[in-house]
Amino acid sequence: MRVHRWPPAVEPDELGAIVHGPVVLARSPGVVAALRCVFAHTGGLSLPFVLRAEGVQAEAANRQSTSHRLALEDIGPGTFSEPRVVVRVGEAEGLADASQATSSGGDDAYDLDANFWIDALPTDGRIVVTVSWVQAGLGESRTELRLRPWTGDDVLRLL
């Protein structure tokens, strides 16, 4: 199996076609990860991702993501992490890098909204999404999604 990384990308200038509805991918006490839907585009899939945490898990998520921002800004060293999302489409499996990610929260709540771009389309109509964020209390969970059939005519173009 070819292992690679799904890099973030700007989505094409089209709305896409909804090929799967909302689905919870993983749930642990105080934290949940889900997809709002799956959009099919002519050149790949868009996966709008949400993660919500409360209580102790929110505190851990905030600590992990704040350390990440500080490390990226070169303010100081720190241990950091982020949710790990691995997507398999056919024989290609890889870690997905988020684009357009925003997070917010405090001691009692943490919210993350991100979008993952997968530049491949499944020939069998299935994708597998594995998500975890052990440092924030979310154990690994694997979900196989069967996508609704679509054609290029279903993908709505903006221009």
Side-chain angles (χ1 to χ4, degrees):
M1 178 182 307
R2 186 184 81 160
V3 178
H4 69 286
R5 191 170 208 105
W6 300 105
V10 177
E11 291 181 35
D13 195 17
E14 57 191 28
L15 294 175
I18 297 175
V19 294
H20 200 285
V23 61
V24 171
L25 299 171
R27 183 186 305 269
S28 293
V31 62
V32 63
L35 291 177
R36 293 186 183 280
C37 62
V38 176
F39 290 107
H41 294 270
T42 53
L45 301 171
S46 172
L47 288 73
F49 175 84
V50 296
L51 184 134
R52 303 291 184 255
E54 60 184 16
V56 174
Q57 281 69 32
E59 181 182 348
N62 276 306
R63 186 175 55 253
Q64 291 293 317
S65 63
T66 300
S67 296
H68 185 199
R69 283 193 297 276
L70 293 176
L72 289 176
E73 294 170 6
D74 211 22
I75 293 174
T79 59
F80 63 88
S81 67
E82 57 192 6
R84 179 176 163 83
V85 178
V86 175
V87 179
R88 182 168 51 92
V89 178
E91 294 298 314
E93 180 175 65
L95 184 64
D97 289 331
S99 59
Q100 305 167 359
T102 59
S103 64
S104 63
D107 290 338
D108 295 330
Y110 177 83
D111 297 319
L112 170 70
D113 289 281
N115 195 52
F116 296 102
W117 175 252
I118 308 302
D119 62 353
L121 295 168
T123 57
D124 62 359
R126 296 180 306 172
I127 64 172
V128 177
V129 182
T130 304
V131 63
S132 65
W133 195 6
V134 176
Q135 298 85 344
L138 184 65
E140 184 176 282
S141 179
R142 184 179 179 107
T143 305
E144 181 176 309
L145 303 177
R146 295 186 183 275
L147 306 181
R148 180 183 66 77
W150 78 95
T151 67
D153 293 336
D154 297 329
V155 176
L156 301 174
R157 289 166 183 41
L158 291 175
L159 299 174

